[in-house]
Amino acid sequence: MDARFKNRVWRGGERAGKYAYRMSEIKLPVGAEMTELPAKIAKQLSIKLSDIMTWQVARESIDARDKLNIFMVYTLDFTTNSQISSKTAKKHRCNVYKHIERHAPISGNECLTGRPVVIGFGPCGIFAALELSHNGYRPIVIERGKTMSARVKDVENFRQHGVLDGDSNILFGEGGAGTFSDGKLTSGIKDPNIKFVLETFAGAGAGDEIVYKHKPHIGTDVLRAVIVSLREQILDLGGDVRFGTRLTGLEIADGELKGITVMDSDGREEHIDTNAVILATGHSARDTYELIKESALEMEQKPLSIGVRMEHSQELINRAQYGEEDRLPPAEYKVSYKASNGRGVYSFCMCPGGEVVVCSTADGELCVNGMSNRRRDSGVANSGILCDVRVSDFDSDDVLSGVKFQQKYERLAFENGGGKFNPPTCTMKDFLDANAQSVIASLPDFAYEAIREAIPFFAEKIHGYDDPDAVIKAVETRSSAPVRVLRDKDSGESTGISGIYPAGEGCGYAGGITSAACDGIKQADKLIERFGRPRG
């Protein structure tokens, strides 16, 4: 636990004050202790320090706009027995605060056949299964990959020896694609479940500070234990998680789901009677997309992105963002640019103090991603620099042509890297001078042109970004799903077919760990609101 977080409730414990407030834009110098916050707000609000009964940090961020005068900025929830005048409150960004409780969904009364099934055990599937479990629905979770311990061994074998397991790798297995990433929990969505998701991760060992950090992350090393803890919660509540098992069939009759067929790693098939399935497959289960298409679920093409991973010295990024201040955590960046060819170029999943990893799921195909441990202490910063891809760039109107687009460039990257899962690599200088043929040939022309044009602009924002010795690796293709499985806005079910609940990033409704988890909860609640609890 962050040592400062231990003091976030300063005094009073259960003895909360009569009035509750939230105050924002409270600044402290870098290096100051959070225990100074109560005195700071007491002085600003002209109340006695002893009048503040309890306090809690709701948000912490860094204001580094002036690199000679960097501050930590806080939002604080506190209670007091002294009512603060409206004039004083308005002057100091202080508002009456009312905690909003999260209410459990109300169970429906339709008959549930068997038990509900969740397909996939990434963030979406995990939180869907948790929500169902907490409400007494005892879900069955189907995950094609292996348990965390076995998956970690398979990933290490791949990284050391180039031996790829198509069902147990950096993208498939317990915890989904997010397990081998930075464990970033930022999200652009507004959802009432975000705080619950963060608190659930914190309670499973992710660290209490993720609840209030402006840009929280868990780190791949810590996240692995957190995921196992969440799985154990599901099992304790009566759920069942089946690893090494994949969805092979959907039984649909008269527009309704009747059951599913699954196959284990030994090739044994099993039919499961159920009329409620949450599809939380993730964005890389391409054979599942084929099955969804064959089962006549409505799908549509979806835009995606393609690009590279750029590696810089973390010290360079720190200096560009913080100046000479060296007491702050490894710096991040976020950049975007509109190229002259009309394409948007942007940073994605920036990993301070991390490393670039190959995240292939099939032989002969190569794609890359970024990963960081909790401490972000590798000394190297990396980020995806991506260019937008439109459905008009696909080769056909087939709903899965986005998948084929990804495969085309992943196969080129595999070949251009030498055919042994070594990513095509070059320096920034060679990339800008158009001498990096292995990397350039792994990208569409429009993407290379747009990214090359964007780099000088990024260097204006982040001094040194165009460092000639920076390293570029290709190709990044898996930032989002290439399809969307359509669903009814009210029921959450697949358009025209009842009982199937498309969810998360793989079905086109999320982008990242937090938003995927929130969508899993949302879809689980839709299921609960229709069906009664399973019997027996």
Side-chain angles (χ1 to χ4, degrees), residues 90-335:
K90 183 177 181 180
K91 178 181 178 181
H92 294 287
R93 297 176 179 267
C94 183
N95 299 293
V96 174
Y97 178 67
K98 183 177 181 181
H99 177 69
I100 300 175
E101 294 290 339
R102 182 175 177 272
H103 297 291
I106 299 174
S107 294
N109 52 23
E110 290 192 37
C111 183
L112 180 63
T113 301
R115 295 160 64 184
V117 178
V118 177
I119 308 297
F121 202 56
C124 180
I126 289 169
F127 276 83
L130 275 171
E131 183 76 348
L132 291 171
S133 298
H134 280 299
N135 286 277
Y137 281 75
R138 299 184 297 109
I140 299 170
V141 180
I142 302 299
E143 167 56 48
R144 69 191 302 152
K146 298 180 183 179
T147 62
M148 188 65 70
S149 57
R151 181 186 183 191
V152 169
K153 291 178 181 177
D154 289 336
V155 168
E156 188 62 24
N157 190 35
F158 172 66
R159 299 189 71 191
Q160 292 293 326
H161 306 292
V163 179
L164 177 66
D165 185 324
D167 287 325
S168 180
N169 46 61
I170 284 182
L171 296 184
F172 292 155
E174 184 168 19
T179 298
F180 291 90
S181 71
D182 182 55
K184 205 178 304 294
L185 301 177
T186 51
S187 176
I189 66 169
K190 292 183 178 181
D191 190 292
N193 287 313
I194 288 178
K195 186 177 181 182
F196 171 75
V197 168
L198 296 178
E199 290 176 341
T200 300
F201 277 129
D208 291 325
E209 63 273 17
I210 68 168
V211 178
Y212 66 81
K213 291 283 188 181
H214 176 55
K215 295 181 179 179
H217 85 108
I218 301 177
T220 181
D221 50 343
V222 175
L223 185 56
R224 297 171 196 180
V226 169
I227 295 300
V228 173
S229 176
L230 295 177
R231 184 231 300 174
E232 290 171 350
Q233 289 183 36
I234 293 168
L235 298 178
D236 288 344
L237 291 165
D240 181 17
V241 183
R242 302 184 187 179
F243 293 101
T245 306
R246 69 172 69 201
L247 177 70
T248 56
L250 294 167
E251 182 187 344
I252 299 168
D254 300 323
E256 296 183 359
L257 178 70
K258 301 297 183 181
I260 65 171
T261 303
V262 299
M263 180 185 292
D264 67 18
S265 56
D266 293 323
R268 295 184 295 251
E269 282 199 334
E270 176 189 358
H271 181 80
I272 300 174
D273 287 326
T274 184
N275 57 350
V277 165
I278 294 177
L279 284 176
T281 59
H283 59 42
S284 293
R286 291 167 171 171
D287 55 346
T288 305
Y289 285 150
E290 292 281 358
L291 173 62
I292 291 171
K293 177 184 174 182
E294 293 169 3
S295 301
L297 275 69
E298 292 190 24
M299 306 167 70
E300 65 182 11
Q301 294 179 340
K302 182 175 155 294
L304 47 90
S305 299
I306 192 169
V308 295
R309 277 273 148 183
M310 291 198 179
E311 293 182 307
H312 294 82
S313 160
Q314 185 62 53
E315 182 181 358
L316 182 152
I317 301 301
N318 289 348
R319 191 166 56 250
Q321 300 293 65
Y322 299 149
E324 297 303 315
E325 177 57 67
D326 61 1
R327 292 172 293 175
L328 292 167
E332 302 179 49
Y333 65 81
K334 185 176 182 180
V335 289

